[in-house]
Amino acid sequence: AVKDIHILSGTEQGNDESSMQGNSDKLDEDMYKWYKLIAGKDGVYIVSSEIYDNKTLRKNRQSGEVKYVPNNPYCEFVLSPNYLKDTGNNVDPSLVKKANEGTRVYLVSSSINKQDRELIKKSIREEDVDKENPKKIEFVEYTFEKKLFTWNADSDYESYTDKAVVLLSTPNNMIFMEKGSLFASGLKNSYLKFTKEAKQKYVNDRILKKYHLFDNKLTFKSVSEHVDGIQKRLSETIQLFTFGIILLMVSILIFLAIIISLYKVTFEEEIIIKRFMGHNRARIYSPLVILCILVLVLDFIASILIRCRISSALVLIMGIFEIILFYIAIEKGAYKRIVSFLK
């Protein structure tokens, strides 16, 4: 099951500061050598996906940066042959042999219409270029027996698809970008994936030390553990954000109460006379009313500009609290003060 597959969830810089800064490819080479040792073993997979949904395709057409853009959505995968096999899609051994010999073999789904298939092939030939180590490219029309999981939780695209283009990935046909991606982590970005049994067998201190990766603290977690961790961090962030918002709202209300009190003390005589003469409360406290309205309007405009619905809702709630506080503050003890002043 997908939830039991282990992905690279976390890494550390270790002694590879130069590599992390882009001044060395030592870390990439260490990861590649380690992967090359275990590639093809049971439960050791290369899995990566890129979804080209309608939004992405439209953006590519409008930008003009992509020469060949298909008309309909599809998903492009980088998959090791054993992953395809273990997910119910058998591949001709001759194609696997070519991939192992260094050919970039692409399986293009027969469920993609002919026009789009041709555009995809042209696009791949344009982009799949490694000038330092050029590879032969071959396309094969393929009918997927089982739909493939898209590995993309951020897109509105379906979770499983047969409208797929799959690169049969082996250590010998990898280009520099894919070698560099072996160190990538996260549900969407990670290339290297294991079953639980394979992780226990190939991710251990002895092997990682041999390939200078022990200091990088490679952490592999099951998809379910990784998602649970994200949800926990999200929950903690929401709680912290909520606490901060409540603290800010309380602070603003306290500040407003202090301003109202100072205003009442400073202009006490004028306020009492105007109230005794029947003046409207909004007019009596007009400077404070204008200040409150101005702050709320600015807050509301800011929430619209940053397109945050929660902020807009909080501004409205804050406005209601301010009105309640304002009413209580100006009415509390008002009658007694008028009587005392007249005496």
Side-chain angles (χ1 to χ4, degrees), residues 224-240:
S224 59
E225 290 174 330
H226 181 76
V227 172
D228 288 345
I230 292 174
Q231 290 177 335
K232 182 180 178 182
R233 290 194 297 273
L234 180 60
S235 176
E236 291 172 349
T237 301
I238 291 173
Q239 290 175 11
L240 184 62

Side-chain angles (χ1 to χ4, degrees), residues 11 49 52 61 129 169 199 204 338:
T11 61
S49 65
Y52 293 89
R61 288 191 203 97
V129 178
S169 177
K199 173 196 165 187
N204 57 63
I338 293 174

Side-chain angles (χ1 to χ4, degrees), residues 296-311:
L296 286 173
V297 169
L298 291 175
D299 286 344
F300 192 70
I301 291 172
S303 69
I304 292 174
L305 291 176
I306 63 175
R307 298 179 181 180
C308 181
R309 294 180 181 178
I310 295 177
S311 296

Side-chain angles (χ1 to χ4, degrees), residues 16-276:
D16 295 289
E17 182 178 354
S18 181
S19 294
M20 299 298 283
Q21 292 175 348
N23 299 321
S24 169
D25 60 359
K26 181 182 177 299
L27 179 57
D28 293 345
E29 285 300 317
D30 288 340
M31 287 291 293
Y32 174 71
K33 289 175 182 176
W34 173 49
Y35 170 63
K36 191 172 183 179
L37 172 75
I38 60 178
K41 304 292 186 183
D42 288 343
V44 179
Y45 307 125
I46 287 293
V47 182
S48 178
S49 65
E50 184 69 33
I51 292 175
Y52 293 89
D53 55 14
N54 284 315
K55 182 180 179 181
T56 304
L57 295 176
R58 184 169 57 251
K59 183 179 178 181
N60 288 345
R61 288 191 203 97
Q62 292 172 348
S63 69
E65 296 176 1
V66 181
K67 190 173 181 181
Y68 303 103
V69 182
N71 298 302
N72 300 291
Y74 70 100
C75 191
E76 192 170 314
F77 292 88
V78 179
L79 304 175
S80 55
N82 61 340
Y83 178 81
L84 271 173
K85 181 181 177 182
D86 290 351
T87 52
N89 291 287
N90 293 308
V91 182
D92 189 329
S94 65
L95 297 178
V96 178
K97 184 173 182 293
K98 287 181 180 180
N100 283 324
E101 291 171 349
T103 300
R104 305 270 289 176
V105 179
Y106 283 90
L107 307 180
V108 184
S109 176
S110 56
S111 66
I112 299 174
N113 69 58
K114 185 176 180 181
Q115 182 184 12
D116 281 349
R117 288 203 302 267
E118 293 306 313
L119 288 169
I120 290 169
K121 290 176 186 178
K122 289 179 181 179
S123 177
I124 288 174
R125 288 193 182 278
E126 287 271 326
E127 297 176 8
D128 189 346
V129 178
D130 188 340
K131 294 181 180 179
E132 295 182 4
N133 188 19
K135 305 285 186 182
K136 180 182 176 182
I137 297 175
E138 182 176 333
F139 296 99
V140 179
E141 189 174 325
Y142 182 82
T143 301
F144 290 92
E145 300 168 59
K146 298 285 186 180
K147 289 188 175 184
L148 298 170
F149 182 62
T150 57
W151 291 93
N152 195 323
D154 299 329
S155 176
D156 293 330
Y157 196 73
E158 55 194 332
S159 298
Y160 288 85
T161 184
D162 60 354
K163 289 181 170 53
V165 178
V166 175
L167 168 65
L168 287 181
S169 177
T170 68
N172 292 329
N173 72 1
M174 278 186 163
I175 59 176
F176 71 96
M177 184 186 70
E178 290 157 2
K179 291 180 181 179
S181 296
L182 291 172
F183 193 68
S185 60
L187 182 63
K188 176 177 170 54
N189 297 323
S190 66
Y191 261 55
L192 195 53
K193 295 176 172 65
F194 294 93
T195 60
K196 181 180 179 180
E197 295 75 19
K199 173 196 165 187
Q200 292 172 343
K201 191 172 183 179
Y202 301 115
V203 185
N204 57 63
D205 293 350
R206 180 181 61 82
I207 293 178
L208 295 180
K209 283 179 180 178
K210 180 180 178 182
Y211 291 94
H212 316 294
L213 296 168
F214 180 72
D215 58 306
N216 299 114
K217 308 295 182 185
L218 305 183
T219 303
F220 286 86
K221 293 182 179 180
S222 68
V223 171
S224 59
E225 290 174 330
H226 181 76
V227 172
D228 288 345
I230 292 174
Q231 290 177 335
K232 182 180 178 182
R233 290 194 297 273
L234 180 60
S235 176
E236 291 172 349
T237 301
I238 291 173
Q239 290 175 11
L240 184 62
F241 177 76
T242 303
F243 175 76
I245 289 295
I246 292 173
L247 185 63
L248 178 62
M249 290 175 67
V250 170
S251 299
I252 291 174
L253 291 173
I254 291 173
F255 177 74
L256 179 61
I258 292 172
I259 293 295
I260 293 173
S261 297
L262 290 173
Y263 186 85
K264 286 166 65 177
V265 171
T266 305
F267 301 98
E268 182 178 22
E269 184 175 332
E270 182 182 341
I271 292 171
I272 292 173
I273 293 172
K274 286 183 177 180
R275 291 203 63 166
F276 183 72

